[in-house]
Amino acid sequence: MEHLTLLIGVVIVTALAFDFTNGFHDTANAMATTISTGAMSPRLAVAMSAVLNLAGAFLSVQVAKTISGGIIDEKSGIRPEVIFAGLVGAIVWNLVTWLAGLPSSSSHALFGGLIGATLVAVGAHGVHGEAVVMKVLIPAVASPLVAGAAAALATRLTYRIGRNADPESTRKGYRAGQIASAGLVSLAHGTNDAQKTMGVITLALITGGLIAPGSNPPVWVILSAGTAMALGTYIGGWRIIRTLGKGLTDVQPQQGFAAQSGAATVILASSHLGFALSTTHVVSGAVLGSGVGRKGAVVRWGTAGRMGLSWLITLPAAGLVAAGATAVADQGTWGVGLVGVLGLLVCAGAYVLAQRNRVDHTNVNDVAPVGGSASGAAAVAGPGAFDAFSGELSATIPPPAQAAPVTRKAAL
């Protein structure tokens, strides 16, 4: 029993670590457009998002119940070490995509990790296939399309309504609207994504016999999950903020307001219905929709295509990592320990690699798209800056040299 209790403790800590990576991985969902348009300073933006993520964790438990008893059969013989392996798979994939600056789905990384670990440990009967299709896969396809269409329509309306207004006054007004809508997205993100970690911890408590099947997450679970996500949010996923704020389209305040309002509406409605959708998919779709909705805007479909590819492989990739981790963890205590050590080494390696080409609040807006190519633009950044569009180091383009003054004698 002592071993089981210790293992559940390890699972809880690992779940909170995933929640932390979810926070900094998904900060861009709420704040990328607000930061890129200058509506808020980067540090203030992530601080506001962190507070509202914590508040959102207390609004609902429907998504948590989908995770703890909907996707995975809690009575199929799932053991705490299986959940642990699933979480390791999700964390590893989150760090890989964060390094690449790709706004992939932390939610799908978690689903893939849990599903892959369950398939290896107990077989297909441990996964509720219908729930996966209805609660995960269909929302994954529909949510970015719905959010994109809503954002495109809202963008067209905002420009049409304000076409005769003073441009500077309109810009200031929409920047204020961006702050409000970004706060709503942060609240919605806490409501949807923090609940996924709550569901995982609740599932671990159920498998250990500490709470009854079908139970709601205890208050301490809600508080700890919300706090871990808030801390991760405050750290700021600057690489992904750069991609989402600058890489898909040149976002103006009107577009940012329309995109964030549409995304928040979709996320909150889905949370109420218990759909464990990806906030990354929703917000990315909304940002693309805002680019489509503004006449003359450049939409970088090459960047969007790379993001879409990462969305497709996230669930199976995290599942494969988790499946391998489960095979090792099933060997006993030493296997669990080895998986934990390997997971820590991956985290340390990601941190070291990130420091080589650091992106933070001081340079998050330095990458500026140039040219008009709709298939992906080059990036201009400081020396050795990370190009979030291509995943490579961007070239440094020096400013043009000042021409020598032309004297009258020389002119003659």
Side-chain angles (χ1 to χ4, degrees), residues 15 42 79 83 184-186 264-265 275 277 299:
R79 302 180 308 281
I83 301 173
L184 190 59
V185 173
S186 297
T265 302
F275 292 146
L277 52 71
V299 178

Side-chain angles (χ1 to χ4, degrees), residues 53-61 190-191 194-195 198 219 222-224 226-227:
N53 264 287
L54 176 58
F58 289 88
L59 295 184
S60 171
V61 295
T191 302
Q195 286 190 59
M198 296 177 209
V219 174
I222 297 174
L223 179 61
S224 59
T227 301

Side-chain angles (χ1 to χ4, degrees), residues 306-364:
R306 286 190 289 275
M307 286 172 48
L309 178 61
S310 76
W311 292 358
L312 288 175
I313 66 176
T314 287
L315 197 148
L320 286 173
V321 175
T326 302
V328 176
D330 264 348
Q331 303 305 311
T333 303
W334 71 267
V336 173
L338 180 59
V339 170
V341 170
L342 292 175
L344 289 174
L345 288 175
V346 170
C347 293
Y351 177 80
V352 171
L353 289 174
Q355 299 312 301
R356 293 174 58 186
N357 303 292
R358 188 178 178 87
V359 181
D360 58 23
H361 68 284
T362 63
N363 64 355
V364 67

Side-chain angles (χ1 to χ4, degrees), residues 49-283:
S49 183
V51 172
L52 291 172
N53 264 287
L54 176 58
F58 289 88
L59 295 184
S60 171
V61 295
Q62 293 305 312
V63 174
K65 294 181 73 173
T66 295
I67 301 296
S68 63
I71 295 175
I72 304 299
D73 187 352
E74 57 194 17
K75 299 177 182 178
S76 63
I78 295 295
R79 302 180 308 281
E81 52 262 45
V82 176
I83 301 173
F84 171 68
L87 287 168
V88 170
I91 291 172
V92 167
W93 187 251
N94 265 358
L95 292 175
V96 169
T97 51
W98 166 69
L99 273 175
L102 286 173
S104 69
S105 171
S106 297
S107 304
H108 283 203
L110 178 61
F111 301 149
L114 290 176
I115 292 170
T118 302
L119 289 175
V120 169
V122 300
H125 71 277
V127 178
H128 292 148
E130 183 179 351
V132 172
V133 172
M134 296 300 297
K135 297 283 189 176
V136 178
L137 297 182
I138 290 178
V141 175
S143 60
L145 297 177
V146 172
L153 179 60
T155 300
R156 287 186 182 275
L157 287 175
T158 56
Y159 277 101
R160 177 162 296 186
I161 291 171
R163 63 183 181 276
N164 295 322
D166 175 62
E168 186 58 30
S169 299
T170 300
R171 186 178 297 272
K172 289 181 179 179
Y174 277 111
R175 280 181 174 172
Q178 269 193 283
I179 295 173
S181 59
L184 190 59
V185 173
S186 297
L187 195 70
H189 182 263
T191 302
N192 197 283
D193 276 38
Q195 286 190 59
K196 292 158 189 169
T197 301
M198 296 177 209
V200 171
I201 296 176
T202 303
L203 179 61
L205 296 174
I206 291 171
T207 59
L210 299 179
I211 61 175
S215 298
N216 286 338
V219 174
W220 68 266
V221 172
I222 297 174
L223 179 61
S224 59
T227 301
M229 177 164 286
L231 289 173
T233 300
Y234 183 70
I235 292 296
W238 304 111
R239 294 170 182 272
I240 299 175
I241 289 174
R242 174 181 282 183
T243 300
L244 200 54
K246 295 287 187 180
L248 291 177
T249 184
D250 302 318
V251 180
Q252 294 185 355
Q254 293 94 321
Q255 293 171 263
F257 173 72
Q260 290 168 326
S261 299
T265 302
V266 172
I267 295 168
L268 286 172
S270 299
S271 298
H272 179 71
L273 295 172
F275 292 146
L277 52 71
S278 166
T279 55
T280 301
H281 291 187
V282 174
V283 174

